[in-house]
Structure formats: structure tokens, C-alpha cells
Amino acid sequence: MQVSQKSKETFDACRFCWMCHHICPIGNATGHERNTARARALSLSLVERGGLALDEEVSSNLYECALCSGCAHDCITGWDPTKFTKESRLAAALEGVLPPYINTLLDNLADYGTPYGQVEENAELSKAIAALPKTADVLLFLGADARALYPAGALNAIALLKAAGVSFTVLQDEPTDAYASNFLIGAAEETRAAMKRASEAFAPFQTVVCYDGTDAAAFLREGKEWGVVNAHIVTFPAYVVSLIKDGKLAPKKGSTAYTIQDCAYIARELDDDTSIRTVIDAIGERREMLVSGKATMLGGQALMATYMADVIAKVGARRMREAVIAGAEVVVTENVGEYLALSAAAPQGVKVVTLEEAVLSCL
Amino acid sequence: MTDFLFTMVLSELEDAVGRENCSTREIDKVAHSVDYFWLSRMWADRGYRMPEADVVVSPKDAKETSAVLKIANYYKIPVVVWGAGGGTQGGAIPVAGGIVLDTKRMNAIHDFNEQGMYIECGTGAIYKHLEWEANQRGYATMHYPSSLTCSTVGGFLAHRGIGVSSTKYGKIDDMVLQMEVVLPNGDIIYTSPAPKHAAGPDLNQIFIGSEGTLGVITKAQMRIFEQPESRKFRGFLFHNMTDAFNAGRELLQKFKPSVMRLYDEAETSSLIKKIVGVAKPGAFMNIAIEGVAELVEVEEKILLSTFAKYGAEDLGSEYGEKWWKEKITFFYPGNMMDLPQMFGTMDSIAPYGKIEKIYWEMKKAIETNFPQAKFIAHFSHWYEWGAMIYDRFIVEGKDVPTDPHEALRLHNDIWNLGVRTAIQHGGVVNDHHGVGIKLGRLMKEQYGSAMQVFYGLKKELDPNGIMNPFKLGL
Ligand SMILES: Cc1cc2nc3c(=O)[nH]c(=O)nc-3n(C[C@H](O)[C@H](O)[C@H](O)COP(=O)(O)OP(=O)(O)OC[C@H]3O[C@@H](n4cnc5c(N)ncnc54)[C@H](O)[C@@H]3O)c2cc1C
Ligand code: SF4
Ligand code: SF4
């Protein structure tokens, strides 16, 4: 199997370790033993030792990981299972043993530039984008999830930046495949090429604001690490904080209590669990779940919902239960996948909103 | 079994639990073949496959569990219950193939009962999730094993597990009220609604510790406690272990600390030095006192005066607090013993007057007969009448045979000698890790003709012997 020495060392460390068994949002939702860092590591260590073949079964289990880094964050001795999972996904792709549903997503990426295939864009969103200036200092990068799955969120994001008087635009033809490619096949040539395309598209802009935390994490982490993405990229919550600080947005602080669902990718991978809190503190009361901030538990995942919808629904339901115990009335999210899964699981009396929706309601 | 019959059985199981919860996939079989047992890890490390299930099922409740057991009983197929596989004794390994019944879909919290001070949950819940549930509402489970995040409620019950605060709050068998159990014939039964009664023998205690050999525990009411107003730590260094035992025994006649842990000189100068930072020679003991602040103040005074009588050096609160913070750090890869080393924890328990002798005898037996093995120990669970010994042997990789079969023999020889020495000097075969496949053979040596009570239960409840064969010496 073509994986790095570091990955081999990591799966050899994880294969007999149970310490992060409790933290995996997927394992917690399915109850399946295979959905643990340790079981995944055990299977890969056996592949490495010739005791198991790297086949569709082993590789499908690699795709049952959300790469949320919950396990890595919890690991006191610093092992990171997401690394070997991503590298093994690429190894499985190179060996031609990917599950068919992953091949479909990859085909979609190749054919349409998004994993969701040919989706007709929401007319209102198309209109709103078309009405924006063609050139501006700031690029709002909406991402595939918002454009295909939650155009209302994209419209709200546009509305918020307009309300702040920001000179910005949105690309009609966004290079939306980098995050998905990175999630599906890691550091493959295709991913690097997608990152490069994104980087070229970002070049004319001073600042790129990533609406969705998943895209932001891919650009800011891998994109930078590989030296492919040089643009000044900020997450949407961090940008909203700067707009409030600069006085461009002046939300009125109300009495609504917001329970925060941290985006794992922003909180852990980009090390930022403060932006969303700064915004919430400016608009209302903050309510925390017991497991939150950098230790957050995933509440949904848009890409995975295409091939394991029932599991992602359970992930959302479990997280929503925690929010309810924490007294949630309004849950505020930072990415589309979590917004969708949590909204679907919300009981009567609990509302789920995206960050921009929350801020817009206070202007 | 023929392919045709197997497929027939499989379709029945799928009918019982749903197709998506019934798997013959290799990835699921592999995931359920290696637990925390050193031999299973060594086997996999050498690239060998451990015995695997023919099918893995994940029922959602007692009803589905019952359906699975009825099918298994009819076709006489072995059923091995798997919680999280964090057991150290090979208890969850399907050594005879058959069905692995994974309980983790039964992980719902059914009731948070503040009046009765318990959480009713499916036994597939990871214990840490119970702790979160309690913490979210201002309570705590007070069951803090090092495997809090690794293992299920059912696993702890089935193994008679224990946590670090056991001296005050009890062992898992003290922490459970009522249980729902599915018998091997598929009947769903409930133990008495309260754990203390005079309505015959205690049904709970028949199933607790039965390691999946007498049925499947599917639901349990686990106790919760108020968060302590105050928790104070105090570290001590004793000149020798005899003084420490005498001091600990005397203290327990006066009040119960939550944490009591005594480390022998070898462990003090290795693990404790590395993780907690105690650099002096001697036997380190860590005590935690907790509860109502006023009482804690008084107890602390009693602790200091009692231990002073035995010449203990008071190290203050710093080391104890560090230990509390780092108590699970010991168990992460990098800090913990790992392959290629061979190691095992031969925990035993005995009354004062015997326990220290057991320590010295085990140490002598292991170190003389297996000079390649290092022996270290601590004493982590204390009662008014006695204490447990958590002793480990460690053989460095260079001394572990490369042939896995030979490694297995050496492993079992060390275990046989260690546990036999404990039994011979008045100890019990195991304190809180259970028996599993690892120590089954030694159960007969422990209990002699008393084994007929266990055989009788097994024969009556599981006449076809389908439940977890070859475990617990049954
Ligand atoms: C890092 C680490 C540290 C540990 N520290 C401690 C500690 O401090 N204290 C302690 O007590 N233990 C400790 N252990 C051991 C382990 O946590 C316990 O043995 C635990 O009880 C195993 O639970 P499990 O859910 O992982 O069970 P498994 O390993 O899946 O199963 C254990 C046994 O219980 C049976 N079983 C499981 N669920 C049920 C059920 N619902 N009904 C009937 N039978 C069932 C199985 O058939 C098997 O025989 C540690 C383990 C690890 C990995
Ligand atoms: S990430 Fe850390 S805690 Fe999780 S399995 Fe690996 S070594 Fe263990
Ligand atoms: S990265 Fe997230 S989903 Fe994947 S194993 Fe770790 S905790 Fe589970």
C-alpha cells in the first residue's frame, strides 16, 4: 500500500488503542465497531502485513470517516488517524478498489466540477450572483455545498456582505472541486490541480472569504501546505468578526440565546473557535454544549450525506439531542452540512440557523 | 454448515435485526476479532488473523437480541457478545466462530432519573457518554476506569469493572440498580427493581461478571452522584510498602477517601517518575478526599495525622493533582507498554495480612522463574478489609520469541505461574479485568468443587452451550 512511513507508524499506534472510541461521531451514530480509528487502523496494519487485502470493503470503511479530527484532537500522545485515512483513500484509488459510490462522486467532479453532478443552480441565487460587480477586492467563495444544497444560505451570505457595504463578488463559475477532491482522494494530482485552479481564480482578489468551513479548511491547510494556494483566505465567521470590529456591521444585541455548533474543520484544523463566539456575543446570549469548541462533535457532513444519508441523519440527531440538553432554542452553525443535518433533526421549538442568518436578523 | 444452510440462517438473522445490521463483510469480522488481550494483538501484529465471527449482528434492543438468541439456539451457533472490545482477557473474541453480537446499537439513554439518582441506558453505551449525560445535568457517574472512553456499560458489568474512585463510590457491581437481561433461550428478564432486598439471591450479581456466558445484559440503571463540593489530593512517600498498607488500613477504619493508590518502588521510580514527576525513592501513595467541603476539611486532618504515624512524607497536593489530570495519559500509545514487548496485568485481591505477601511472592516467582520479565505493581482499590494488587509483568521485545506460538506459550507460562502464586497465597484469580479465554483454565483451580454452582447455572440457562464458549472456564 502506498502510504507514508508516518501513516504506517500511526496506524500501528492506533490499531490496539481504544482511547478515542467515544469521540467518533460516525461510530457513535452507527454503533459499528469498524467505525473507529482503531478498527480502521487495524485493517490497514493487516493490509500492510499481508493479512488482509486492500479491497472495496476496506476502502469503503475509509469513506465512513468524516475526517473531522475528533480522534486526533482527543489523542493525548498526538497521533492523527485522518492522515492515514486520507493517504489510504488515495492508495485505494490508485489500486482501483474504490467503492462505486465514491467513483460516482469522482466522476461528477471530473465532469461537472462538483461532486453533486449536474445540478441546476437556484434561479434566485444565479440572479443575485449575476447582479454583483465583476471585479472587486473581495471574493465570496460560496462552495459546492451551498450552491447545490443550500442556496438560501448563499443568498444570506451575499445579503450580509451587501449590508456591510463590502465591495465583493462571487464567481459565476466557481472552482468548487478542491475540497471534495481533497476529501475523497487526498493529495492526488487531481486535488493539487483543483487547488491550483482555485488559486488562479483567487489571484485577482485581495481577500477570499470562504462561506463554508469545509472549503476554508482545505484551502488553508492543504492548499497552503502544498504551496499551491497563496491567496489571503479567511473563514466566513472570521470575516464577520472583522466587519463588526471595523464598524461595517453593527448588529443590535438581542436576548436570543444561541447554542453554538462549532464547525470541526474550522475549530480544530484552523484552530479557530473564537470567531463564532465573538459574533454570537455581539448579537445575543451564548449557550454552550458540554462538548464544544475545539472538542466539538460533528453534527452533519454534506458530502457523506450523499452516500450514507441515514448515518448522517443519525449524526445530526445525536448532536441535536446534546443541544437540547444544553437548553438550545436556536442552534447556530458554520457549514452547510451541519446546518442541513441539524435542521432535519430539530424538534419543535428548536430553530437551526446559519451564522449569517443569525447576524442578519439582528441588523 | 453448508453454504445453503448458512445463507438460510443469515436471512433469518437479517430478518431479526435488519439487513444493514447484519454483516458478513471481512472488515466487520476483522474489527471484531482483536480486543485488548495481548495475545490477540500479538497475533495480528505478526500478520495473522485471529478467529473471526461468521456473522456480526447489531440488535437495537432486547427484542431483537432475543430473536437473535432464539435463532442461534435453534441452530446451535455460538454467540459472543461484543461491547467495545476493550476487554483485556480475550472475552469478546469469537474463538469458536459463529455470531458476534455487538451491543453498541443499544446505546440509548432511556431515562435520567434524578429522584432515583440513576441513568437507565442501553448497555452498548460507552461509559464516557453516561458521564457526559450526567455532567450535562450537574451530576457525575463516579465510575472512572482508565477505559472510561473505551468500553461499554455492558462490558464493565460483564467484567466486574472498577474505576479509580472505587473506595468511596464502589465497584461497578455497587453502581447498578435494575438490569434487563436476555437469556440464552431468548426470554427477556428483569432483575429486582432495587439492588438491596431479601427476595432471594441477588439476580444482578449472577449476571454481573458472567462475561456473556449466561445471557446478554441489554439495559441497566446506573447510579449517579452529586458532584463533590470539594476534591482534595495529597501525595505521600512511604519508606516501604508495609508501612503504607498499615496506614491505609487504619485510615479506612475512619473514613473512605475516593482515590487510594499505592505504587511499589519499581513503579514509583518508573511510571510515576515519568508522568507525575516524583523523583525520590520510596513507595508513592496518592489519596483523594471529596464530598461536602466541611467534611473534606476534617478528613484531610485525619489523613495527615494517620499517615504521619507511619512515617509518610507529605508531598502536598501537587503530585496528586497532576496524577488526576494525567490519570489516563498512561494508557496512550507512546506512554503504555506496547508490542514488541510482552506484558500483562495480573490483578488480584485479598484481605490485608495477605495482600502484601501475595505481592512479594508473585514478584519472587516471576522474577526468579522468568528473569527476562520485569515486575511492577500498584495497589489501586482499597476496602476496609483488604486491597487489590495491579501487578504487571513486562518482557522486552528482544526476549519475546518471534514464533507466535512460542510467544503464546511463554505468555501463558508467566500467567499460570503468577496467578497460581496469587491463588496459593489467598488471592483471587482476578480483581476487575475478568477471566475471558485468558484465565478460564485457572477458574477451576480457584473454585474447586464450587465450580459446580457455575456449571449448574450454565447448564440450566444455556443447555446448548451457545453463549461465549470457552470463556470463564465454562
Ligand atoms: C486502556 C484500557 C484501560 C483499562 N482500564 C480499566 C480499568 O481501569 N478498570 C477496569 O475495570 N477495566 C479496565 N480495562 C478493561 C476494560 O475496559 C474492561 O474489561 C471493560 O469491561 C470492557 O468493556 P467492553 O465494552 O470493551 O467489553 P468487551 O471487551 O467487548 O467485552 C468484555 C466481555 O464482556 C462481555 N460483554 C460485553 N457486553 C456485554 C453485555 N451487554 N452483556 C453480556 N456480556 C457482555 C463480552 O462477551 C466479553 O466477555 C481497560 C481497558 C483498556 C483498553
Ligand atoms: S488517535 Fe490516539 S487515541 Fe485514537 S486510536 Fe490513535 S492513538 Fe488511540
Ligand atoms: S476523523 Fe472523525 S469521523 Fe474519522 S475516525 Fe476520527 S473521529 Fe471518527
Side-chain angles (χ1 to χ4, degrees), chain A residues 16-19, chain B residues 35-36 80-93 103 106 123-124 143-148 150-164 207 210-213 215-218 331 336 381 390 432-434 436 468 471:
Chain A
F16 303 138
C17 171
W18 268 250
M19 299 307 280
Chain B
D35 68 358
Y36 208 57
V80 180
V81 189
W82 178 285
T88 54
Q89 316 295 72
I93 297 171
T103 60
M106 299 191 269
T123 51
H143 180 61
Y144 302 139
S146 309
S147 52
L148 184 68
C150 315
S151 291
T152 62
V153 172
F156 284 115
L157 287 165
H159 260 187
R160 286 194 182 278
I162 202 165
V164 295
F207 294 99
S210 67
E211 302 187 10
T213 62
V216 187
I217 309 167
T218 43
F331 288 88
M336 184 65 178
H381 305 287
Y390 186 105
H432 66 262
H433 288 103
N468 214 357
K471 310 291 171 63

Side-chain angles (χ1 to χ4, degrees), chain B residues 54-266:
Chain B
D54 297 298
V55 52
V56 177
V57 300
S58 304
K60 79 164 189 299
D61 54 20
K63 221 166 129 207
E64 288 191 3
T65 303
S66 161
V68 170
L69 294 193
K70 281 180 181 156
I71 295 165
N73 233 318
Y74 179 75
Y75 292 105
K76 301 189 175 51
I77 302 169
V79 178
V80 180
V81 189
W82 178 285
T88 54
Q89 316 295 72
I93 297 171
V95 288
I99 298 169
V100 159
L101 189 153
D102 187 318
T103 60
K104 285 193 295 298
R105 261 185 87 223
M106 299 191 269
N107 63 359
I109 306 291
H110 298 288
D111 184 19
F112 192 94
N113 196 312
E114 282 178 86
Q115 280 290 309
M117 295 292 281
Y118 65 83
I119 299 175
E120 184 174 299
C121 64
T123 51
I126 303 278
Y127 222 99
K128 178 77 178 183
H129 294 166
L130 245 63
E131 177 66 11
W132 279 346
E133 195 75 22
N135 294 166
Q136 274 162 343
R137 293 169 160 100
Y139 297 94
T141 64
M142 299 300 179
H143 180 61
Y144 302 139
S146 309
S147 52
L148 184 68
T149 61
C150 315
S151 291
T152 62
V153 172
F156 284 115
L157 287 165
H159 260 187
R160 286 194 182 278
I162 202 165
V164 295
S165 304
S166 62
T167 300
K168 187 176 177 79
Y169 300 101
K171 210 166 179 250
I172 200 78
D173 32 287
D174 303 309
M175 294 197 163
V176 60
L177 276 70
Q178 189 178 40
M179 305 197 305
E180 176 187 77
V181 181
V182 183
L183 298 180
N185 66 6
D187 282 355
I188 301 171
I189 64 159
Y190 294 87
T191 62
S192 128
K196 298 283 172 200
H197 56 79
D202 190 344
L203 270 182
N204 270 354
Q205 300 301 335
I206 290 174
F207 294 99
I208 295 174
S210 67
E211 302 187 10
T213 62
L214 300 179
V216 187
I217 309 167
T218 43
K219 237 189 230 175
Q221 295 171 343
M222 304 310 301
R223 292 177 61 194
I224 51 169
F225 299 83
E226 283 189 354
Q227 292 279 16
E229 207 173 276
S230 161
R231 176 179 283 139
K232 286 192 170 177
F233 293 92
R234 209 87 194 191
F236 298 90
L237 201 63
F238 283 93
H239 298 300
N240 56 58
M241 295 209 311
T242 310
D243 289 347
F245 274 114
N246 288 333
R249 197 199 73 84
E250 188 179 322
L251 188 72
L252 277 159
Q253 311 313 311
K254 295 174 176 161
F255 76 92
K256 284 184 181 177
S258 54
V259 177
M260 280 185 85
R261 284 175 102 89
L262 168 67
Y263 293 82
D264 74 350
E265 283 95 330

Side-chain angles (χ1 to χ4, degrees), chain A residues 39-93:
Chain A
R40 202 166 283 119
L42 175 66
S43 70
L44 296 172
S45 79
L46 278 169
V47 168
E48 189 58 24
R49 287 164 173 74
L52 186 66
L54 178 61
D55 58 12
E56 233 178 84
E57 279 189 8
V58 172
S59 86
S60 71
N61 193 38
L62 298 173
Y63 287 95
E64 290 176 15
C65 167
L67 302 179
C68 74
S69 296
C71 45
H73 176 261
D74 201 62
C75 184
I76 288 176
T77 38
W79 300 98
D80 182 355
T82 64
K83 294 271 187 300
F84 67 66
T85 304
K86 276 168 83 171
E87 285 189 20
S88 305
R89 286 179 182 183
L90 177 55

Side-chain angles (χ1 to χ4, degrees), chain A residues 23-44:
Chain A
I23 210 78
C24 180
I26 306 296
N28 288 343
T30 62
H32 293 322
E33 188 64 35
R34 67 172 185 269
N35 296 145
T36 57
R38 121 33 242 170
R40 202 166 283 119
L42 175 66
S43 70
L44 296 172

